[in-house]
Amino acid sequence: MTFAWWHILVALIPILPNLWSVWHIWSHDFGGEFQKKVLWLCISVFLPVIGGIIYILFGRPKAGARLRRQA
């Protein structure tokens, strides 16, 4: 069996929603409730593919404003 470029795409497509959800959770506020943020991060990390999809469907609408980080 030879390696082809599409093997990378097949491996990355299921991971993309999870990577996006972790980034979104990390960069948004959940009404000052740190426990909600940690819970969503745990769901996304420990349920890799399905956790990201669950967050996109149910958690993203509950996320507040984007956090402003000072450099």
Side-chain angles (χ1 to χ4, degrees), residues 19-66:
L19 292 175
W20 182 86
S21 67
V22 168
W23 171 80
H24 193 268
I25 294 166
W26 190 259
S27 64
H28 283 75
D29 186 28
F30 284 82
E33 293 188 36
F34 186 70
Q35 292 85 3
K36 284 185 181 179
K37 184 179 267 196
V38 171
L39 177 67
W40 280 114
L41 280 171
C42 287
I43 290 171
S44 293
V45 169
F46 292 116
L47 299 172
V49 175
I50 199 137
I53 295 170
I54 290 171
Y55 175 75
I56 290 170
L57 294 175
F58 301 111
R60 186 178 54 89
K62 296 178 182 175
R66 187 174 181 150

